[in-house]
């Protein structure tokens, strides 16, 4: 399996089919931070020792024969900058991992549901993404991989603190569970700050589409746990699942309130978004995400029945700058990218 | 022929077919101001004397057997306010004429190319509208009617001053010639003030879609002569025709410059307008005119080949508030009007 195969596959597993609450929850992600005993943390790792860590992980992964199925190894430094940034857009690696590729690598499952970053902030970042609200299955997958790796690798673990990590905020379970939620109803009814403002008190954080420090666009929010220590994995998962399902309820209420109180305005918003997406000849990335959000809302409320939600999931990834550059096979100006983005969106919406 | 027949006919003669320069000049209009000797001007006319003027005009019109064909008489006070405002939107009567209907009337030709307002600012306002730049034919029609009426009516005329009118600005020929021009190219390239700013020096005035004092919307401008005295009708017409054809040249140059320098942006603008018009569920009047202007520009440049320019001509009239109210047959809130306007536009654009 080449990087071209991974990248060329526009539809990742989390974009397909429907999970629970998939009218609001786009995807669920689990990330486990792990480190190998006897090696410094990656931020102080020389290139040669980083290579030793990578080799140890590769050997351990090679011994995994059954589930989660084959994981392909990629040395980040051997990928082009464009390829690395596409992996970021596909949520398979972090921006930090893409920006400094030397001594770093990633292991990927072909359906893009599993990725393992090696030598990011920690030696191992095991990640699993699934569609809808399904943190438990994502956790099972990630945990299974973790167990299989621990059969071979000597993982830093303290009986008192739990898993040891480069940053104290990950110590303990090393678990970050997050759900990407689409909240146009709460945004349009000006309730989003009220609802999401309660999350810090519940030990949860909110971020944008591309994680920490990223802007909120397209009404997409990532809700994740802040605290990784002092609780079991099960407690962390049940807390975030409960909160996310509360958010889903609020979002659905907001949507229904708009449908009953401002149906014309809502239908207008949805159809205008469709009309613009299906006809524009230049489409900036930010506007695309905003209009796709309106369109997705219309799909979820049955205002517009074609195209399907899967098209939305695919488009929010493949219309990102790096992926678009890859699809067209050449370096482009921002204006030329906008033309290609518009063309790609039209091809998906106008069948 | 009832007022319903006139009003129900959505397409007026000036909206059909193509005149000269019809990519820029929507319509040409001639208006002649005439007054009957022995009667005070309408602003000081009692209702009963106003009635005498109307009767005299009716009698004179009844004697016209051949061209311009039958002219139907309507007492404005017998029309509803809605019907009167539709006549304004169709450019058949002036806003002033619609607002104070008592003692006023109008004579209309079925194809809506000819209208004669009785007791507006002057006793007679003979008007003819044709498509494209065609002031000469419009003048011939209006003049022919004028001649036929003068066979019967005693028109106020001074050998020194020419035709006498209520307002000194109309004295002389009593002729107002105007062309409605669509100038998106000059507006988008920020040249419109420069080009139209020269007109006062050439004895011409610029107004909005609904005449004097009306706002500029949809990039539509009415260019007309300021001076009615000291020149022959032929001089007035050849002056305005020459200036308008210069404006047409500048507008075409601006459009071609945009096509060669900003083709993507231009195509984007046109297709977004189409997408929004063809999909919106609420469409305010002002936005409709703005988007229809973009769409019409695209039609004229061959960017979009369907719908045809005639659809634009029809839509700029039938999406006006009064006409829309008439089409739906009921009084509506502004929001409900926006819904109906969107529906009407979709029905014309999405075949």
């Amino acid at each position: 399996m080449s990087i071209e195969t991974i990248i060329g596959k526009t539809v990742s597993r989390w974009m397909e089919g429907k999970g629970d609450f998939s009218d609001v929850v786009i995807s669920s992600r689990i990330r486990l931070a792990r480190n190998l005993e006897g090696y410094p943390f990656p931020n102080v790792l020389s290139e040669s020792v980083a290579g030793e860590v990578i080799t140890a992980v590769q050997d351990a992964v090679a011994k995994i024969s059954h589930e989660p199925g084959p994981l392909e190894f990629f040395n980040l430094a051997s990928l082009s900058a464009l390829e690395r940034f596409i992996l970021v857009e596909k949520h398979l690696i972090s921006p930090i991992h893409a920006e400094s590729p030397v001594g770093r690598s990633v292991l990927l499952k072909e359906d893009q549901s599993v990725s393992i970053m090696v030598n990011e902030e920690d030696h191992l970042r095991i990640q699993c993404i699934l569609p809808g609200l399904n943190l438990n299955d994502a956790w099972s997958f990630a945990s299974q991989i973790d167990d299989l790796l621990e059969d071979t690798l000597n993982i830093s673990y303290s009986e008192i603190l739990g898993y040891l990590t480069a940053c104290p905020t990950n110590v303990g379970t090393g678990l970050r569970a997050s759900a990407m939620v689409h909240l146009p109803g709460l945004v349009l009814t000006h309730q989003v700050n009220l609802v999401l403002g309660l999350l810090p008190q519940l030990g949860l954080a909110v971020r944008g589409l591309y994680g920490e420090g990223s802007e909120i666009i397209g009404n997409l929010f990532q809700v994740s746990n802040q605290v990784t220590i002092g609780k079991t994995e099960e407690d962390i998962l049940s807390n975030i699942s409960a909160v996310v399902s509360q958010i889903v309820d609020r979002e659905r209420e907001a949507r229904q309130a708009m449908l009953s109180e401002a149906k014309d305005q809502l239908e207008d918003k949805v159809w205008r978004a469709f009309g613009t997406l299906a006809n524009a000849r230049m489409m900036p990335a930010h506007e695309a995400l905003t209009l796709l959000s309106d369109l997705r809302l219309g799909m979820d409320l049955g205002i517009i029945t074609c195209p399907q939600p899967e098209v939305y999931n695919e488009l929010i990834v493949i219309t990102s700058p790096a992926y678009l550059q890859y699809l067209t096979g050449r370096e482009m100006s921002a204006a030329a990218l906008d033309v290609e983005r518009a063309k790609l969106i039209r091809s998906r919406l106008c069948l």
Side-chain angles (χ1 to χ4, degrees), chain A:
Chain A
M1 189 175 60
S2 66
I3 191 70
E4 286 79 18
T5 311
I6 291 275
I7 288 178
K9 197 168 151 60
T10 58
V11 181
S12 307
R13 169 137 182 229
W14 68 264
M15 301 177 196
E16 299 174 309
K18 289 185 170 66
D20 289 344
F21 304 116
S22 66
D23 56 330
V24 179
V25 187
I26 306 295
S27 62
S28 295
R29 183 172 7 178
I30 290 293
R31 184 270 284 152
L32 298 176
R34 298 290 185 260
N35 288 280
L36 308 196
E37 261 202 35
Y39 292 96
F41 287 130
N43 61 331
V44 289
L45 214 55
S46 70
E47 197 180 330
S48 68
V49 185
E52 288 176 34
V53 171
I54 289 174
T55 307
V57 174
Q58 256 189 296
D59 291 348
V61 168
K63 287 180 189 137
I64 302 177
S65 52
H66 43 88
E67 272 301 326
L71 289 167
E72 199 76 18
F73 173 84
F74 299 100
N75 200 323
L76 280 202
S78 72
L79 304 183
S80 70
L82 185 64
E83 287 165 339
R84 297 196 305 270
F85 284 106
I86 290 172
L87 296 180
V88 174
E89 289 171 353
K90 283 171 164 282
H91 300 279
L92 295 170
I93 67 174
S94 65
I96 297 167
H97 211 48
E99 276 154 26
S100 316
V102 176
R104 290 176 164 179
S105 64
V106 65
L107 290 133
L108 299 171
K109 195 177 170 186
E110 190 176 1
D111 72 358
Q112 306 175 27
S113 64
V114 174
S115 70
I116 304 175
M117 288 188 278
V118 185
N119 294 334
E120 203 246 24
E121 190 179 284
D122 296 293
H123 294 143
L124 288 170
R125 287 276 175 112
I126 304 164
Q127 180 187 262
C128 179
I129 317 182
L130 293 177
L133 181 58
N134 193 0
L135 289 167
N136 291 333
D137 284 351
W139 158 247
S140 296
F141 274 119
S143 176
Q144 189 186 3
I145 296 166
D146 181 36
D147 291 346
L148 292 166
L149 290 175
E150 289 195 36
D151 287 346
T152 313
L153 298 170
N154 199 3
I155 299 292
S156 297
Y157 185 82
S158 139
E159 285 301 329
I160 298 160
L161 294 171
Y163 291 102
L164 301 176
T165 57
C167 177
T169 58
N170 291 313
V171 167
T173 57
L175 168 66
R176 183 83 65 215
S178 67
M180 172 125 61
V181 288
H182 182 228
L183 305 179
L186 292 175
V187 171
L188 288 169
T189 59
H190 308 289
Q191 298 176 78
V192 74
N193 290 335
L194 192 71
V195 172
L196 299 185
L198 300 171
L199 298 193
Q201 292 163 253
L202 303 167
L204 301 178
V206 181
R207 300 190 172 88
L209 178 58
Y210 297 114
E212 203 159 345
S214 73
E215 193 193 356
I216 301 297
I217 36 177
N219 300 320
L220 289 167
F221 302 81
Q222 287 194 63
V223 175
S224 60
N225 60 308
Q226 284 278 42
V227 179
T228 56
I229 196 165
K231 286 183 172 185
T232 64
E233 284 86 350
E234 288 70 22
D235 284 347
I236 291 172
L237 294 181
S238 72
N239 177 44
I240 185 167
S241 293
V243 172
V244 169
S245 68
Q246 285 278 325
I247 294 173
V248 169
D249 288 345
R250 293 294 86 71
E251 170 64 20
R252 285 177 176 167
E253 283 166 19
R255 293 180 185 183
Q256 289 306 320
M258 288 195 296
L259 257 190
S260 64
E261 286 159 35
K263 191 160 183 278
D264 289 333
Q265 285 79 357
L266 190 60
E267 291 184 347
D268 185 52
K269 195 173 184 62
V270 169
W271 282 103
R272 279 171 181 254
F274 173 76
T276 302
L277 288 166
N279 287 285
R281 261 52 184 173
M282 296 185 81
M283 182 54 69
H286 197 299
E287 186 187 5
L289 283 168
T290 303
L291 294 175
L292 284 167
S293 170
D294 294 342
L295 182 61
R296 173 72 194 242
L297 175 63
M299 295 168 174
D300 290 325
L301 287 173
I303 291 172
I304 195 163
T305 53
C306 173
Q308 294 289 305
E310 292 75 29
V311 170
Y312 165 86
N313 292 350
E314 186 188 4
L315 281 175
I316 61 171
V317 171
I318 66 174
T319 59
S320 307
Y323 203 75
L324 207 54
Q325 194 106 232
Y326 167 80
L327 280 181
T328 55
R330 58 196 163 86
E331 284 267 342
M332 280 183 290
S333 67
L337 265 179
D338 290 349
V339 170
E340 292 301 325
R341 184 178 294 107
K343 203 182 286 177
L344 181 64
I345 292 172
R346 291 202 308 279
S347 76
R348 288 297 196 277
L349 294 189
C350 308
L351 302 176

